[in-house]
Amino acid sequence: MRKNGYQVGIARNGTEALAAIAETPFDLVLLDVMMPDVDGYQVCQQLRQRPDRAATKVVFLSAKSHDADVQKGYDVGADLYVPKPFSTRQLMEKVRELLAGKPSL
């Protein structure tokens, strides 16, 4: 992300992610489903409950790729769910599209 000119913040777990989201109005948040202490679904759900973060785009990058896992990601408010393994180049294209307001599908 940095190589493509984006400013990046890093959280090592769900609690740190929630604290960072509370402090900073990120344009986009990349989440894994499986994170220590608070999972990505919960982080996304809490982010979506904040009216001041309504414009934040959420992208899941996860090894959990069953249809039910992907659907749960969208149900909690993800804008995009990318199963691992994924192409970094394609991810960057999708991020650019999301940030430009274009449909990602």
Side-chain angles (χ1 to χ4, degrees):
M1 299 300 287
R2 284 187 182 110
K3 287 180 182 180
N4 286 279
Y6 294 102
Q7 291 181 339
V8 176
I10 297 174
R12 293 172 295 215
N13 57 52
T15 300
E16 285 184 15
L18 288 169
I21 289 165
E23 293 175 16
T24 306
F26 293 103
D27 294 325
L28 183 133
V29 174
L30 296 173
L31 291 173
D32 195 344
V33 171
M34 297 179 286
M35 295 191 299
D37 65 15
V38 179
D39 71 26
Y41 295 133
Q42 293 170 323
V43 171
C44 183
Q45 198 166 32
Q46 289 185 42
L47 181 150
R48 289 296 181 227
Q49 292 173 356
R50 295 183 58 120
D52 61 332
R53 300 295 184 259
T56 303
K57 303 296 184 192
V58 176
V59 177
F60 277 104
L61 303 173
S62 183
K64 294 182 71 88
S65 59
H66 289 95
D67 289 344
D69 300 316
V70 174
Q71 187 59 51
K72 185 173 181 179
Y74 285 115
D75 289 347
V76 297
D79 293 285
L80 183 63
Y81 194 109
V82 180
K84 294 178 183 176
F86 59 88
S87 156
T88 304
R89 184 183 57 75
Q90 288 178 330
L91 174 62
M92 289 309 308
E93 288 174 13
K94 294 296 184 187
V95 164
R96 281 190 210 84
E97 289 173 6
L98 277 173
L99 293 175
K102 298 176 185 172
S104 61
L105 299 177

